[in-house]
């Protein structure tokens, strides 16, 4: 990918077709990969200009005042998007609106090509009334347009709003445009003139994106012998307490799973395979889920690393996401290694992933939309199952603790002094913080997302 490539993804489609959901997913995915991406939602600009709680009549094509204000909102969104490209040096912008006429798409195409910006149109088409009504109930009725409005009244109003758009909606037929059409929640795709790295990457992602309710469970392996010894990496066996966690894990999963089918993914390392041994579900091993490769530091304690490689130890705390162990990996490398697993996760419904601290951090960071500074510090405790329920605009999270003690391997963020003396002092101070107390037995069942948390 060349550094000066700039791309706008222009969403197209009738209301309640999942455009904003798709746009949010694209932004989350690209930012997770380190490709700077921002979303510009024209509806937000329209609410600033005309206010929220506008009845469906505002969207009637014969309502000249409403039409003028919606056109003004589209222009403001475009202006801010162009400013973002210039001032923030962005790479991918998403222009989220219905853009449901040939005239509107032509205007956008002409304005963007003036600034040497590539355009990819993404059209979401759905004729399944049950999916549309479900989207209205689950997403649109919680939007600012209908806050405090009776759900039945809101549903009728939004259905009427859709009917106004249907009167002048024009599907994409412009053969000289780059576009992808997603038909009936991914049952069919139409692709035209896809060019370059970014467009191809986004199209491939969209073809793996399935909008179905799902639950994902993450669990680190049970406490290992290396955990007890405060060593990193390796392929150690479970400790006695780790084996007890493996024995109790099936009851916790069965209690909270109900009669849903489940597949278990593990890494190729012994401690995850041993943790999954008693689970009565289909299992799949992924080499991609292996722990962060710590290179020459494999099997060492943090105290030993600080003593033998003091510069590396300090450098990692300065930029944990990008620091690469000598002969090993960085968190950035791990994100790229995990991309195929994320693609497959988007296609699945109920998955239990038994993996490692850094691996789970990267996958958790994808679903929780964490930036690269936050991601390496998420707290992923041992003997705890994290449940995620991805939705359109958020991801519900619950923690379930198995009542088996384990060491706490979390290393907090340390801001080091620049001097040699300061680095050494910081290193010894952090090792003291990294001692291994017993993890508390009763964390909250539904904690808020942790903003700081370590391999």
């Amino acid at each position: 990918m060349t550094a000066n490539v700039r791309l706008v993804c222009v969403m197209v489609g009738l209301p309640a077709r999942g455009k904003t959901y798709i746009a949010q997913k694209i932004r989350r995915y690209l930012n997770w990969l380190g490709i700077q991406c921002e979303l510009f939602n024209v509806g937000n600009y329209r609410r600033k200009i005309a206010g929220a709680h506008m009845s469906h009549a505002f969207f009637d094509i014969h309502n000249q005042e409403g039409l003028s204000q919606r056109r003004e909102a589209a222009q403001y969104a475009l202006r801010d998007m162009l400013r973002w490209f210039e001032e923030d040096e962005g790479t991918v912008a998403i222009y989220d609106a219905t853009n449901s006429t040939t005239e509107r798409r032509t205007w956008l195409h002409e304005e963007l090509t003036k600034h040497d910006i590539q355009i990819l149109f993404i059209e979401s088409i759905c004729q399944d009334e049950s999916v549309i009504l479900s989207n209205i109930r689950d997403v649109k009725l919680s939007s600012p347009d209908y806050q405090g409005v009776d759900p039945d009244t809101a549903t009728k109003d939004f259905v009427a709003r859709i009917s106004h758009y249907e009167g002048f909606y024009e599907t994409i037929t412009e053969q000289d445009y780059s576009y992808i059409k997603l038909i009936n929640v991914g049952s069919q795709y139409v692709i035209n003139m896809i060019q370059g790295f970014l467009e191809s990457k986004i199209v491939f992602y969209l073809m793996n994106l399935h909008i179905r309710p799902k639950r994902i469970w993450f669990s680190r392996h049970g406490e290992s012998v290396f955990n007890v010894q405060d060593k990193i990496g390796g392929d150690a066996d479970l400790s006695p307490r780790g084996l007890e966690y493996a024995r109790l894990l099936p009851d916790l999963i069965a209690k909270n799973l109900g009669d849903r089918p489940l597949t278990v993914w593990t890494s190729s390392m012994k401690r995850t395979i041993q943790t999954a041994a008693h689970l009565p579900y289909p299992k799949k091993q992924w080499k991609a889920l292996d722990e962060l490769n710590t290179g020459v530091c494999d099997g060492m304690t943090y105290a030993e690393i600080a003593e033998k490689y003091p510069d590396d130890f300090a450098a990692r705390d300065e930029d944990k996401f990008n620091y690469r162990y000598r002969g090993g990996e960085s968190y950035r490398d791990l994100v790229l290694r995990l991309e195929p697993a994320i693609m497959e996760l988007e296609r699945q419904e109920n998955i239990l992933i038994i993996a490692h601290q850094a691996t789970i951090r990267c996958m958790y960071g994808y679903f929780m939309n964490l930036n690269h500074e936050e991601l390496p510090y998420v707290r992923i405790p041992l003997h705890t199952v994290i449940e995620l329920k991805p939705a359109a605009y958020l991801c519900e999270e619950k923690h379930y603790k198995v009542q088996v003690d384990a060491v706490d391997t979390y290393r907090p963020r340390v801001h080091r002094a620049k001097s040699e003396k300061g680095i050494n002092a910081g290193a010894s101070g952090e090792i003291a913080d990294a001692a291994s107390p017993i993890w508390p037995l009763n964390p909250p069942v539904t904690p808020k997302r942790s903003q700081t948390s370590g391999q």
Side-chain angles (χ1 to χ4, degrees):
M1 182 179 66
T2 57
N4 61 349
V5 169
R6 301 186 298 177
L7 173 69
V8 171
C9 296
V10 177
M11 306 306 298
V12 178
L14 291 167
R17 266 58 176 185
K19 296 186 302 300
T20 297
Y21 173 80
I22 293 167
Q24 294 277 11
K25 295 289 284 188
I26 294 171
R27 178 174 66 169
R28 182 179 306 171
Y29 168 65
L30 294 179
N31 283 327
W32 182 70
L33 290 175
I35 300 169
Q36 189 180 9
C37 180
E38 190 55 83
L39 191 154
F40 297 85
N41 182 284
V42 174
N44 291 336
Y45 289 85
R46 183 254 303 162
R47 281 184 282 271
K48 290 179 182 178
I49 293 169
H53 304 98
M54 305 300 293
S55 77
H56 67 86
F58 178 82
F59 301 90
D60 190 328
I61 194 171
H62 302 295
N63 183 334
Q64 292 303 313
E65 182 181 6
L67 189 63
S68 175
Q69 289 178 325
R70 288 189 286 132
R71 185 179 296 115
E72 183 181 4
Q75 292 168 341
Y76 274 123
L78 177 63
R79 179 202 63 189
D80 283 357
M81 185 171 67
L82 292 172
R83 182 188 297 126
W84 175 77
F85 275 119
E86 294 300 324
E87 296 180 1
D88 295 349
E89 298 182 347
T91 302
V92 179
I94 304 172
Y95 189 85
D96 184 18
T98 56
N99 299 307
S100 51
T101 65
T102 302
E103 179 186 11
R104 170 65 65 83
R105 295 191 292 270
T106 300
W107 169 68
L108 282 169
H109 194 273
E110 291 175 350
E111 291 297 318
L112 291 169
T113 52
K114 286 179 188 175
H115 295 83
D116 195 27
I117 296 173
Q118 297 177 7
I119 306 104
L120 171 63
F121 291 94
I122 301 172
E123 183 174 12
S124 181
I125 300 171
C126 184
Q127 293 94 17
D128 188 329
E129 292 297 327
S130 64
V131 172
I132 296 168
L133 287 173
S134 176
N135 192 33
I136 292 172
R137 288 192 302 269
D138 296 343
V139 179
K140 293 302 180 184
L141 299 191
S142 62
S143 79
D145 286 346
Y146 293 107
Q147 284 183 356
V149 179
D150 173 74
D152 290 338
T153 302
T155 299
K156 291 177 182 177
D157 183 86
F158 198 81
V159 169
R161 182 191 299 191
I162 293 173
S163 69
H164 291 308
Y165 280 96
E166 288 174 335
F168 58 86
Y169 177 70
E170 298 170 317
T171 188
I172 295 178
T173 57
E174 299 93 323
Q175 290 304 304
D176 56 339
Y177 289 176
S178 297
Y179 66 76
I180 176 173
K181 296 187 181 189
L182 293 78
I183 302 171
N184 289 329
V185 199
S187 63
Q188 183 181 359
Y189 304 93
V190 178
I191 298 171
N192 188 68
M193 288 187 62
I194 301 304
Q195 305 173 54
F197 171 82
L198 280 174
E199 290 184 13
S200 299
K201 198 163 193 65
I202 292 167
V203 166
F204 181 68
Y205 175 70
L206 291 174
M207 293 178 70
N208 283 276
L209 190 62
H210 287 252
I211 308 171
R212 290 191 296 260
K214 68 176 68 178
R215 288 203 289 178
I216 300 165
W217 287 269
F218 291 112
S219 172
R220 288 176 68 182
H221 52 78
E223 180 189 74
S224 73
V225 173
F226 267 26
N227 292 147
V228 176
Q229 297 171 349
D230 202 25
K231 294 180 179 180
I232 66 172
D235 193 15
D237 291 304
L238 296 183
S239 71
R241 293 190 300 202
L243 291 169
E244 180 66 6
Y245 174 71
R247 188 183 69 81
L248 296 177
L249 183 59
D251 287 341
L252 183 148
I253 296 299
K255 178 180 178 181
N256 293 284
L257 179 67
D259 58 357
R260 299 177 183 85
L262 181 71
T263 302
V264 179
W265 293 358
T266 71
S267 75
S268 67
M269 293 181 158
K270 289 189 295 185
R271 53 193 184 274
T272 64
I273 296 168
Q274 291 170 1
T275 303
H278 303 292
L279 290 163
Y281 308 105
K283 300 182 180 75
K284 178 178 181 178
Q285 290 183 26
W286 281 75
K287 181 71 176 173
L289 297 178
D290 285 359
E291 179 59 298
L292 182 76
N293 185 342
T294 53
V296 297
C297 297
D298 192 62
M300 298 173 66
T301 67
Y302 284 115
E304 291 168 343
I305 297 170
E307 180 179 356
K308 188 170 183 179
Y309 304 110
D311 292 342
D312 291 70
F313 191 82
R316 190 162 191 263
D317 283 328
E318 288 298 322
D319 185 1
K320 193 173 182 180
F321 185 82
N322 289 298
Y323 171 81
R324 179 180 290 123
Y325 280 101
R326 297 187 188 188
E329 292 179 302
S330 65
Y331 270 89
R332 182 179 293 278
D333 296 328
L334 185 53
V335 162
L336 296 177
R337 189 204 327 149
L338 286 168
E339 187 180 4
I342 288 293
M343 289 288 188
E344 185 62 24
L345 260 184
E346 286 290 1
R347 300 179 62 86
Q348 303 297 325
E349 294 184 24
N350 297 303
I351 301 290
L352 167 61
I353 298 173
I354 300 175
H356 309 267
Q357 183 167 236
T359 309
I360 293 174
R361 278 181 178 146
C362 291
M363 302 180 87
Y364 176 95
Y366 167 80
F367 286 102
M368 301 304 289
N369 200 26
L370 300 184
N371 62 43
H372 289 174
E373 187 175 342
E374 295 175 288
L375 184 152
Y377 291 97
V378 176
R379 186 183 285 276
I380 308 290
L382 289 165
H383 298 180
T384 301
V385 175
I386 301 173
E387 178 190 70
L388 299 183
K389 292 183 182 179
Y393 301 107
L394 51 83
C395 193
E396 296 180 29
E397 176 182 7
K398 290 184 179 179
H399 287 202
Y400 301 96
K401 178 74 175 106
V402 173
Q403 302 300 305
V404 178
D405 291 343
V407 296
D408 182 5
T409 62
Y410 175 68
R411 293 180 67 242
R413 187 194 310 263
V414 169
H415 299 284
R416 299 179 178 281
K418 297 294 184 182
S419 68
E420 183 71 22
K421 181 178 179 180
I423 289 175
N424 291 335
S428 61
E430 186 168 56
I431 292 301
D433 290 339
S436 301
I438 299 300
W439 178 252
L441 291 179
N442 295 299
V445 173
T446 313
K448 294 181 180 179
R449 190 183 79 193
S450 172
Q451 295 297 319
T452 58
S453 309
Q455 160 114 8

